[in-house]
């Protein structure tokens, strides 16, 4: 998972270098308007798109408070949506960590750096950009959602390597080709996972 999130981590490490804002962020840094985040010591943002709430006691369960301002989708199973400003009891087995993606998020993932992996014959870089559209937000890469038609338009600049775009919607995953030199993609009649 850490290796596959390398494109995401790399982009936030670059931002940290430029701005001084760390990759791992106190919840109050991302949600300063929510006073309940000021005393939060056991959950954090990983970049601005992912909210992580580790289970730090015995058992597979904990209560998670979701900071105000957006909705959150359980990241690994894509099964539960939580409203910002609410708390929920969540359960995860030892193989997962409670992690949530914000509505409107763009999460680049993939195997883009071979490093010392010289044993994989015909290795080539692979990049996937996960999109979590919401009628509430527009994000830079650029992802625009039509409130009426459900059409999602994606525009992006040069990313360096070919890959794929994966859009997560109520009816499942939708794929489009990601072009190294930049381009666009369009998805029609998308029902957001964040809508009731």
């Amino acid at each position: 998972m850490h290796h596959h999130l390398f494109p995401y981590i790399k982009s936030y490490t670059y931002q940290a270098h430029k701005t001084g804002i760390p990759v791992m962020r106190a919840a109050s840094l991302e949600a300063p308007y929510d006073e309940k985040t000021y005393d939060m010591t056991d959950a954090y943002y990983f970049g601005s798109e992912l909210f992580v709430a580790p289970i730090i006691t015995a058992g597979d369960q904990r209560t998670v408070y979701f900071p105000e301002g957006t909705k959150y989708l359980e990241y690994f199973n894509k099964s539960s949506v939580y409203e910002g400003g609410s708390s929920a009891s969540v359960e995860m087995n030892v193989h997962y960590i409670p992690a949530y993606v914000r509505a409107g998020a763009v999460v680049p993932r993939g195997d883009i750096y071979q490093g010392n992996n010289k044993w994989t014959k015909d290795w080539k870089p692979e990049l996937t950009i996960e999109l979590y559209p919401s009628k509430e937000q527009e994000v830079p890469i650029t992802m625009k959602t039509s409130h009426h038609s459900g059409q999602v338009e994606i525009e992006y600049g040069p990313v360096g390597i070919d890959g794929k775009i994966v859009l997560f919607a109520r009816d499942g995953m939708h794929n489009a080709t990601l072009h190294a030199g930049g381009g666009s993609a369009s998805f029609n009649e998308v029902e957001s996972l964040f809508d009731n």
Side-chain angles (χ1 to χ4, degrees):
M1 180 70 175
H2 180 267
H3 186 78
H4 219 254
L5 278 174
F6 185 70
Y8 180 81
I9 295 167
K10 185 176 178 183
S11 68
Y12 278 103
T13 303
Y14 177 76
Q15 285 182 29
H17 166 71
K18 290 293 194 187
T19 66
I21 299 173
V23 178
M24 291 180 66
R25 303 171 179 184
S28 59
L29 185 62
E30 284 294 318
Y33 42 81
D34 185 343
E35 291 183 12
K36 290 183 179 178
T37 62
Y38 297 175
D39 298 322
M40 192 178 285
T41 60
D42 61 353
Y44 59 92
Y45 282 90
F46 189 63
S48 64
E49 311 292 2
L50 298 173
F51 180 66
V52 183
I55 296 174
I56 56 173
T57 58
D60 295 340
Q61 190 173 349
R62 72 161 287 167
T63 298
V64 176
Y65 174 75
F66 298 92
E68 292 179 3
T70 190
K71 292 181 181 177
Y72 299 83
L73 172 69
E74 192 280 316
Y75 185 67
F76 291 106
N77 299 313
K78 318 272 189 294
S79 58
S80 301
V81 175
Y82 301 93
E83 191 72 41
S86 69
S87 294
S89 179
V90 299
E91 190 169 329
M92 288 274 174
N93 69 36
V94 71
H95 300 294
Y96 295 101
I97 185 171
Y100 305 89
V101 63
R102 291 171 107 159
V106 175
V107 180
R109 295 182 54 161
D111 187 7
I112 62 168
Y113 178 67
Q114 186 176 17
N116 66 355
N117 178 3
K118 305 302 183 207
W119 57 86
T120 302
K121 194 171 189 170
D122 300 327
W123 180 92
K124 62 182 181 181
E126 168 264 321
L127 178 66
T128 299
I129 296 179
E130 296 179 349
L131 306 174
Y132 298 88
S134 169
K135 293 178 183 174
E136 301 168 3
Q137 299 175 346
E138 290 182 9
V139 295
I141 226 181
T142 300
M143 175 173 60
K144 294 182 181 178
T145 303
S146 168
H147 298 287
H148 304 292
S149 68
Q151 185 170 14
V152 178
E153 295 285 338
I154 312 300
E155 293 182 13
Y156 57 94
V159 292
I161 58 174
D162 290 335
K164 65 181 174 180
I165 295 170
V166 180
L167 180 137
F168 292 91
R170 191 170 298 257
D171 64 345
M173 296 186 326
H174 301 268
N175 296 306
T177 301
L178 178 70
H179 301 284
S184 62
S186 182
F187 300 90
N188 296 313
E189 298 179 13
V190 173
E191 287 188 53
S192 172
L193 287 163
F194 298 96
D195 294 338
N196 295 336

